[in-house]
Amino acid sequence: MWVTEAADGFGLTVETTRQLCHKVTPYQTIDIYDTVKVGKMMLLDGIIQFTEYDEFAYQEMMAHLPLLAHPAPRRVLVIGGGDGGVLREIAKHPEPVVIDICEIDREVIDSVREFVPSMACGFDDPRVTVHIGDGSEFVRTRESWYDVVIVDSTDPGGPGEALFNAAFYADLKRAMTPGGVVASQAESIYLLPDIVRRLCAITNQLFRYGGYATVLVPTYPTGTIGVRVASDGRDVTVPVREPSPELAAQLRYYTGAIHRSAFAVPKFAEPLIAAR
Ligand code: SAM
């Protein structure tokens, strides 16, 4: 059985062997499959969120780019991220004492816990506190609190829409400590250039430093996705710390060299990243 993600005039098809889960929640449809080539695969509203084959690339870059662009990340917030992958990567760092996650859909967490333990292990770290709710409302309840915020959202259109506007980023900046670093799921420069432009324009208005890192993920349509990283404190395109030998031994994608090179963008994308 071939399953196709078809959206925005483009499709990506994966051969599956069986469907493990199909749920309709108040927020979205959740599907998890076993596949021939790419391990377990989860889709939300028909859009691939991860496959076990290449999820490490996305999760590592979403977590380690901002954490290693901050000198001492003690309090970390994940918005969205209900699959647990970004939490799993944050938990590899000894510095955070607080790891909060605000996910809107409890069913995503429960489904991953039941069917994809390789991802859900991120929830097991004792520093993690789960908040169920809309991330755009959650950030309004904190002031000058988080050193690093990671916005691991679905695409705009569904519940993720609230996480792609200027008011949300203004609230999020207030929730961050001075010099805090934010990293956001920032779509593909080939598939959704208008959303890349929108996200970069919003964050360029609010933060002094920023960059768009490209990540190679074959099971996202066009094979790439971006991580938008921004801060008022320092140039985020250069790590302030190298991964410790213990951390480096656990990583498959992130290196200091990847951090420094991932923010180079092709010429056609430069105006998207510089947008205001
Ligand atoms: N890797 C990802 C991708 O492919 O886009 C995103 C992964 S993670 C599964 C995205 C999560 O964001 C989903 O579980 C979804 O429920 C959550 N989400 C969407 N909108 C949200 C909101 N407004 N507040 C909190 N969580 C939200």
Side-chain angles (χ1 to χ4, degrees):
M1 185 177 55
W2 292 82
V3 170
T4 297
E5 166 183 336
D8 305 297
F10 206 85
L12 194 143
T13 305
V14 173
E15 188 176 12
T16 64
T17 49
R18 67 190 169 124
Q19 184 158 27
L20 301 171
C21 162
H22 174 76
K23 287 183 194 168
V24 180
T25 80
Y27 302 101
Q28 54 213 344
T29 302
I30 304 171
D31 290 290
I32 301 177
Y33 296 90
D34 238 333
T35 73
V36 171
K37 173 87 177 162
V38 297
K40 309 250 179 67
M41 170 173 79
M42 183 173 87
L43 298 89
L44 296 178
D45 286 341
I47 304 293
I48 297 171
Q49 302 296 303
F50 68 80
T51 76
E52 287 184 306
Y53 172 69
D54 55 11
E55 55 83 9
F56 66 95
Y58 173 83
Q59 322 294 349
E60 286 190 20
M61 292 291 270
M62 285 287 282
H64 307 309
L65 286 174
L67 288 169
L68 292 168
H70 194 289
R74 291 177 55 77
R75 290 191 287 259
V76 180
L77 170 65
V78 179
I79 294 175
D83 55 44
V86 166
L87 286 181
R88 182 194 65 208
E89 296 305 315
I90 298 168
K92 292 176 180 172
H93 291 252
E95 292 85 3
V97 290
V98 167
I99 307 173
D100 286 342
I101 176 168
C102 180
E103 160 62 54
I104 204 167
D105 193 345
R106 185 186 295 278
E107 294 283 355
V108 173
I109 299 174
D110 291 347
S111 306
V112 173
R113 273 194 192 283
E114 185 172 354
F115 297 107
V116 198
S118 62
M119 298 284 286
C121 61
F123 288 96
D124 298 336
D125 190 284
R127 296 168 292 174
V128 171
T129 303
V130 178
H131 305 263
I132 300 298
D134 188 330
S136 66
E137 290 168 15
F138 182 83
V139 290
R140 284 189 223 128
T141 66
R142 300 286 191 281
E143 203 163 312
S144 198
W145 188 247
Y146 294 109
D147 301 312
V148 168
V149 180
I150 299 173
V151 186
D152 184 17
S153 169
T154 41
D155 302 343
E161 184 67 43
L163 307 179
F164 284 84
N165 68 55
F168 165 67
Y169 274 92
D171 292 336
L172 187 149
K173 188 179 174 186
R174 262 191 302 279
M176 287 164 57
T177 51
V181 181
V182 57
S184 306
Q185 190 273 98
E187 308 294 358
S188 156
I189 51 175
Y190 285 107
L191 192 65
L192 296 168
D194 291 344
I195 297 174
V196 177
R197 184 189 291 109
R198 196 206 306 179
L199 202 52
C200 290
I202 291 169
T203 44
N204 282 335
Q205 293 284 347
L206 285 166
F207 298 96
R208 182 156 172 224
Y209 302 98
Y212 175 97
T214 296
V215 191
L216 305 178
V217 186
T219 61
Y220 286 146
T222 75
T224 75
I225 196 158
V227 182
R228 174 65 178 171
V229 190
S231 174
D232 259 350
R234 63 189 53 77
D235 177 9
V236 292
T237 65
V238 182
V240 285
R241 298 176 290 127
E242 289 295 319
S244 66
E246 296 74 29
L247 174 59
Q250 299 175 68
L251 304 183
R252 295 172 68 200
Y253 194 97
Y254 180 95
T255 61
I258 284 281
H259 191 135
R260 286 179 202 90
S261 60
F263 289 95
V265 291
K267 191 173 175 189
F268 78 88
E270 286 174 359
L272 306 178
I273 312 310
R276 286 197 170 261

PDB file of all heavy atoms in Angstrom, residues 4-27:
ATOM      1  N   THR A   4       0.540   8.581   0.012  1.00  0.00           N
ATOM      2  CA  THR A   4       1.069   9.818  -0.567  1.00  0.00           C
ATOM      3  C   THR A   4       0.711  11.021   0.291  1.00  0.00           C
ATOM      4  O   THR A   4      -0.446  11.196   0.661  1.00  0.00           O
ATOM      5  CB  THR A   4       0.503  10.021  -1.995  1.00  0.00           C
ATOM      6  OG1 THR A   4       0.948   8.958  -2.820  1.00  0.00           O
ATOM      7  CG2 THR A   4       0.971  11.354  -2.593  1.00  0.00           C
ATOM      8  N   GLU A   5       1.746  11.827   0.625  1.00  0.00           N
ATOM      9  CA  GLU A   5       1.482  13.176   1.121  1.00  0.00           C
ATOM     10  C   GLU A   5       1.340  14.044  -0.119  1.00  0.00           C
ATOM     11  O   GLU A   5       2.278  14.154  -0.907  1.00  0.00           O
ATOM     12  CB  GLU A   5       2.647  13.701   1.982  1.00  0.00           C
ATOM     13  CG  GLU A   5       2.528  15.214   2.194  1.00  0.00           C
ATOM     14  CD  GLU A   5       3.668  15.862   2.979  1.00  0.00           C
ATOM     15  OE1 GLU A   5       4.350  15.168   3.759  1.00  0.00           O
ATOM     16  OE2 GLU A   5       3.843  17.083   2.800  1.00  0.00           O
ATOM     17  N   ALA A   6       0.163  14.641  -0.311  1.00  0.00           N
ATOM     18  CA  ALA A   6      -0.054  15.490  -1.482  1.00  0.00           C
ATOM     19  C   ALA A   6      -0.531  16.850  -1.000  1.00  0.00           C
ATOM     20  O   ALA A   6      -1.595  16.963  -0.402  1.00  0.00           O
ATOM     21  CB  ALA A   6      -1.080  14.850  -2.411  1.00  0.00           C
ATOM     22  N   ALA A   7       0.285  17.868  -1.204  1.00  0.00           N
ATOM     23  CA  ALA A   7      -0.086  19.218  -0.764  1.00  0.00           C
ATOM     24  C   ALA A   7       0.747  20.223  -1.525  1.00  0.00           C
ATOM     25  O   ALA A   7       1.865  19.917  -1.953  1.00  0.00           O
ATOM     26  CB  ALA A   7       0.149  19.383   0.738  1.00  0.00           C
ATOM     27  N   ASP A   8       0.205  21.415  -1.697  1.00  0.00           N
ATOM     28  CA  ASP A   8       0.946  22.516  -2.318  1.00  0.00           C
ATOM     29  C   ASP A   8       1.496  22.127  -3.685  1.00  0.00           C
ATOM     30  O   ASP A   8       2.609  22.506  -4.054  1.00  0.00           O
ATOM     31  CB  ASP A   8       2.083  22.996  -1.393  1.00  0.00           C
ATOM     32  CG  ASP A   8       1.558  23.372  -0.019  1.00  0.00           C
ATOM     33  OD1 ASP A   8       0.764  24.312   0.072  1.00  0.00           O
ATOM     34  OD2 ASP A   8       1.900  22.674   0.962  1.00  0.00           O
ATOM     35  N   GLY A   9       0.714  21.325  -4.430  1.00  0.00           N
ATOM     36  CA  GLY A   9       1.087  20.987  -5.794  1.00  0.00           C
ATOM     37  C   GLY A   9       2.228  20.003  -5.920  1.00  0.00           C
ATOM     38  O   GLY A   9       2.863  19.896  -6.961  1.00  0.00           O
ATOM     39  N   PHE A  10       2.477  19.262  -4.850  1.00  0.00           N
ATOM     40  CA  PHE A  10       3.637  18.374  -4.833  1.00  0.00           C
ATOM     41  C   PHE A  10       3.260  17.131  -4.057  1.00  0.00           C
ATOM     42  O   PHE A  10       2.430  17.192  -3.145  1.00  0.00           O
ATOM     43  CB  PHE A  10       4.792  19.095  -4.129  1.00  0.00           C
ATOM     44  CG  PHE A  10       6.150  18.627  -4.537  1.00  0.00           C
ATOM     45  CD1 PHE A  10       6.781  19.149  -5.655  1.00  0.00           C
ATOM     46  CD2 PHE A  10       6.822  17.677  -3.787  1.00  0.00           C
ATOM     47  CE1 PHE A  10       8.052  18.732  -6.024  1.00  0.00           C
ATOM     48  CE2 PHE A  10       8.089  17.251  -4.155  1.00  0.00           C
ATOM     49  CZ  PHE A  10       8.708  17.793  -5.278  1.00  0.00           C
ATOM     50  N   GLY A  11       3.867  15.973  -4.378  1.00  0.00           N
ATOM     51  CA  GLY A  11       3.547  14.752  -3.655  1.00  0.00           C
ATOM     52  C   GLY A  11       4.791  13.973  -3.289  1.00  0.00           C
ATOM     53  O   GLY A  11       5.830  14.094  -3.938  1.00  0.00           O
ATOM     54  N   LEU A  12       4.678  13.178  -2.202  1.00  0.00           N
ATOM     55  CA  LEU A  12       5.771  12.286  -1.819  1.00  0.00           C
ATOM     56  C   LEU A  12       5.126  10.979  -1.376  1.00  0.00           C
ATOM     57  O   LEU A  12       4.212  10.985  -0.544  1.00  0.00           O
ATOM     58  CB  LEU A  12       6.592  12.904  -0.683  1.00  0.00           C
ATOM     59  CG  LEU A  12       7.937  12.223  -0.429  1.00  0.00           C
ATOM     60  CD1 LEU A  12       8.991  13.255  -0.056  1.00  0.00           C
ATOM     61  CD2 LEU A  12       7.851  11.195   0.671  1.00  0.00           C
ATOM     62  N   THR A  13       5.564   9.866  -1.957  1.00  0.00           N
ATOM     63  CA  THR A  13       4.882   8.593  -1.746  1.00  0.00           C
ATOM     64  C   THR A  13       5.807   7.580  -1.073  1.00  0.00           C
ATOM     65  O   THR A  13       6.974   7.471  -1.441  1.00  0.00           O
ATOM     66  CB  THR A  13       4.393   8.024  -3.107  1.00  0.00           C
ATOM     67  OG1 THR A  13       3.585   9.018  -3.727  1.00  0.00           O
ATOM     68  CG2 THR A  13       3.578   6.767  -2.919  1.00  0.00           C
ATOM     69  N   VAL A  14       5.262   6.879  -0.085  1.00  0.00           N
ATOM     70  CA  VAL A  14       6.041   5.917   0.709  1.00  0.00           C
ATOM     71  C   VAL A  14       5.289   4.585   0.718  1.00  0.00           C
ATOM     72  O   VAL A  14       4.065   4.552   0.910  1.00  0.00           O
ATOM     73  CB  VAL A  14       6.208   6.442   2.155  1.00  0.00           C
ATOM     74  CG1 VAL A  14       6.862   5.399   3.045  1.00  0.00           C
ATOM     75  CG2 VAL A  14       7.030   7.736   2.168  1.00  0.00           C
ATOM     76  N   GLU A  15       6.009   3.487   0.539  1.00  0.00           N
ATOM     77  CA  GLU A  15       5.367   2.170   0.552  1.00  0.00           C
ATOM     78  C   GLU A  15       5.222   1.683   1.999  1.00  0.00           C
ATOM     79  O   GLU A  15       6.223   1.591   2.729  1.00  0.00           O
ATOM     80  CB  GLU A  15       6.172   1.159  -0.264  1.00  0.00           C
ATOM     81  CG  GLU A  15       5.433  -0.162  -0.427  1.00  0.00           C
ATOM     82  CD  GLU A  15       6.171  -1.160  -1.318  1.00  0.00           C
ATOM     83  OE1 GLU A  15       7.348  -0.938  -1.645  1.00  0.00           O
ATOM     84  OE2 GLU A  15       5.546  -2.180  -1.673  1.00  0.00           O
ATOM     85  N   THR A  16       4.000   1.379   2.397  1.00  0.00           N
ATOM     86  CA  THR A  16       3.737   0.961   3.772  1.00  0.00           C
ATOM     87  C   THR A  16       3.389  -0.522   3.805  1.00  0.00           C
ATOM     88  O   THR A  16       2.999  -1.116   2.788  1.00  0.00           O
ATOM     89  CB  THR A  16       2.572   1.778   4.376  1.00  0.00           C
ATOM     90  OG1 THR A  16       1.387   1.489   3.647  1.00  0.00           O
ATOM     91  CG2 THR A  16       2.871   3.273   4.317  1.00  0.00           C
ATOM     92  N   THR A  17       3.533  -1.109   5.005  1.00  0.00           N
ATOM     93  CA  THR A  17       3.157  -2.521   5.143  1.00  0.00           C
ATOM     94  C   THR A  17       1.881  -2.688   5.962  1.00  0.00           C
ATOM     95  O   THR A  17       1.109  -3.600   5.746  1.00  0.00           O
ATOM     96  CB  THR A  17       4.289  -3.318   5.820  1.00  0.00           C
ATOM     97  OG1 THR A  17       4.703  -2.625   7.004  1.00  0.00           O
ATOM     98  CG2 THR A  17       5.481  -3.484   4.906  1.00  0.00           C
ATOM     99  N   ARG A  18       1.673  -1.783   6.951  1.00  0.00           N
ATOM    100  CA  ARG A  18       0.406  -1.836   7.677  1.00  0.00           C
ATOM    101  C   ARG A  18       0.160  -0.523   8.403  1.00  0.00           C
ATOM    102  O   ARG A  18       1.101   0.211   8.726  1.00  0.00           O
ATOM    103  CB  ARG A  18       0.332  -3.011   8.653  1.00  0.00           C
ATOM    104  CG  ARG A  18       1.280  -2.913   9.800  1.00  0.00           C
ATOM    105  CD  ARG A  18       1.326  -4.207  10.586  1.00  0.00           C
ATOM    106  NE  ARG A  18       2.436  -4.126  11.506  1.00  0.00           N
ATOM    107  CZ  ARG A  18       2.351  -4.284  12.820  1.00  0.00           C
ATOM    108  NH1 ARG A  18       1.210  -4.606  13.375  1.00  0.00           N
ATOM    109  NH2 ARG A  18       3.409  -4.147  13.590  1.00  0.00           N
ATOM    110  N   GLN A  19      -1.124  -0.261   8.641  1.00  0.00           N
ATOM    111  CA  GLN A  19      -1.486   0.946   9.381  1.00  0.00           C
ATOM    112  C   GLN A  19      -1.580   0.584  10.859  1.00  0.00           C
ATOM    113  O   GLN A  19      -2.290  -0.345  11.242  1.00  0.00           O
ATOM    114  CB  GLN A  19      -2.824   1.504   8.885  1.00  0.00           C
ATOM    115  CG  GLN A  19      -3.186   2.817   9.563  1.00  0.00           C
ATOM    116  CD  GLN A  19      -4.164   3.650   8.768  1.00  0.00           C
ATOM    117  OE1 GLN A  19      -4.954   3.112   8.000  1.00  0.00           O
ATOM    118  NE2 GLN A  19      -4.123   4.960   8.953  1.00  0.00           N
ATOM    119  N   LEU A  20      -0.841   1.315  11.691  1.00  0.00           N
ATOM    120  CA  LEU A  20      -0.822   1.023  13.130  1.00  0.00           C
ATOM    121  C   LEU A  20      -1.853   1.851  13.880  1.00  0.00           C
ATOM    122  O   LEU A  20      -2.332   1.437  14.944  1.00  0.00           O
ATOM    123  CB  LEU A  20       0.570   1.341  13.706  1.00  0.00           C
ATOM    124  CG  LEU A  20       1.740   0.574  13.088  1.00  0.00           C
ATOM    125  CD1 LEU A  20       3.065   1.131  13.586  1.00  0.00           C
ATOM    126  CD2 LEU A  20       1.625  -0.909  13.411  1.00  0.00           C
ATOM    127  N   CYS A  21      -2.193   3.025  13.353  1.00  0.00           N
ATOM    128  CA  CYS A  21      -3.036   3.940  14.126  1.00  0.00           C
ATOM    129  C   CYS A  21      -3.751   4.887  13.176  1.00  0.00           C
ATOM    130  O   CYS A  21      -3.136   5.402  12.231  1.00  0.00           O
ATOM    131  CB  CYS A  21      -2.121   4.706  15.093  1.00  0.00           C
ATOM    132  SG  CYS A  21      -2.789   6.210  15.781  1.00  0.00           S
ATOM    133  N   HIS A  22      -5.035   5.101  13.417  1.00  0.00           N
ATOM    134  CA  HIS A  22      -5.786   6.131  12.701  1.00  0.00           C
ATOM    135  C   HIS A  22      -6.744   6.765  13.692  1.00  0.00           C
ATOM    136  O   HIS A  22      -7.613   6.083  14.225  1.00  0.00           O
ATOM    137  CB  HIS A  22      -6.567   5.539  11.517  1.00  0.00           C
ATOM    138  CG  HIS A  22      -7.465   6.555  10.862  1.00  0.00           C
ATOM    139  ND1 HIS A  22      -6.983   7.537  10.027  1.00  0.00           N
ATOM    140  CD2 HIS A  22      -8.797   6.772  10.962  1.00  0.00           C
ATOM    141  CE1 HIS A  22      -7.980   8.305   9.625  1.00  0.00           C
ATOM    142  NE2 HIS A  22      -9.101   7.865  10.178  1.00  0.00           N
ATOM    143  N   LYS A  23      -6.543   8.050  14.003  1.00  0.00           N
ATOM    144  CA  LYS A  23      -7.402   8.735  14.975  1.00  0.00           C
ATOM    145  C   LYS A  23      -7.809  10.082  14.406  1.00  0.00           C
ATOM    146  O   LYS A  23      -7.001  10.753  13.766  1.00  0.00           O
ATOM    147  CB  LYS A  23      -6.637   9.025  16.272  1.00  0.00           C
ATOM    148  CG  LYS A  23      -6.354   7.843  17.151  1.00  0.00           C
ATOM    149  CD  LYS A  23      -5.662   8.319  18.432  1.00  0.00           C
ATOM    150  CE  LYS A  23      -5.061   7.131  19.175  1.00  0.00           C
ATOM    151  NZ  LYS A  23      -4.164   7.541  20.245  1.00  0.00           N
ATOM    152  N   VAL A  24      -9.046  10.466  14.721  1.00  0.00           N
ATOM    153  CA  VAL A  24      -9.488  11.820  14.386  1.00  0.00           C
ATOM    154  C   VAL A  24      -9.686  12.552  15.710  1.00  0.00           C
ATOM    155  O   VAL A  24     -10.507  12.128  16.533  1.00  0.00           O
ATOM    156  CB  VAL A  24     -10.789  11.797  13.559  1.00  0.00           C
ATOM    157  CG1 VAL A  24     -11.224  13.227  13.239  1.00  0.00           C
ATOM    158  CG2 VAL A  24     -10.590  10.988  12.279  1.00  0.00           C
ATOM    159  N   THR A  25      -8.910  13.593  15.941  1.00  0.00           N
ATOM    160  CA  THR A  25      -8.981  14.337  17.198  1.00  0.00           C
ATOM    161  C   THR A  25      -9.670  15.673  16.911  1.00  0.00           C
ATOM    162  O   THR A  25      -9.935  16.006  15.757  1.00  0.00           O
ATOM    163  CB  THR A  25      -7.559  14.595  17.765  1.00  0.00           C
ATOM    164  OG1 THR A  25      -6.979  15.707  17.063  1.00  0.00           O
ATOM    165  CG2 THR A  25      -6.656  13.375  17.633  1.00  0.00           C
ATOM    166  N   PRO A  26      -9.960  16.471  17.937  1.00  0.00           N
ATOM    167  CA  PRO A  26     -10.545  17.796  17.669  1.00  0.00           C
ATOM    168  C   PRO A  26      -9.619  18.701  16.850  1.00  0.00           C
ATOM    169  O   PRO A  26     -10.055  19.723  16.325  1.00  0.00           O
ATOM    170  CB  PRO A  26     -10.748  18.379  19.074  1.00  0.00           C
ATOM    171  CG  PRO A  26     -10.790  17.207  19.987  1.00  0.00           C
ATOM    172  CD  PRO A  26      -9.909  16.167  19.369  1.00  0.00           C
ATOM    173  N   TYR A  27      -8.333  18.340  16.733  1.00  0.00           N
ATOM    174  CA  TYR A  27      -7.369  19.226  16.074  1.00  0.00           C
ATOM    175  C   TYR A  27      -6.925  18.732  14.702  1.00  0.00           C
ATOM    176  O   TYR A  27      -6.596  19.518  13.823  1.00  0.00           O
ATOM    177  CB  TYR A  27      -6.135  19.405  16.968  1.00  0.00           C
ATOM    178  CG  TYR A  27      -6.509  19.959  18.311  1.00  0.00           C
ATOM    179  CD1 TYR A  27      -6.598  19.123  19.428  1.00  0.00           C
ATOM    180  CD2 TYR A  27      -6.832  21.295  18.455  1.00  0.00           C
ATOM    181  CE1 TYR A  27      -6.983  19.620  20.654  1.00  0.00           C
ATOM    182  CE2 TYR A  27      -7.225  21.797  19.678  1.00  0.00           C
ATOM    183  CZ  TYR A  27      -7.303  20.956  20.776  1.00  0.00           C
ATOM    184  OH  TYR A  27      -7.694  21.452  21.988  1.00  0.00           O
TER     185      TYR A  27
END
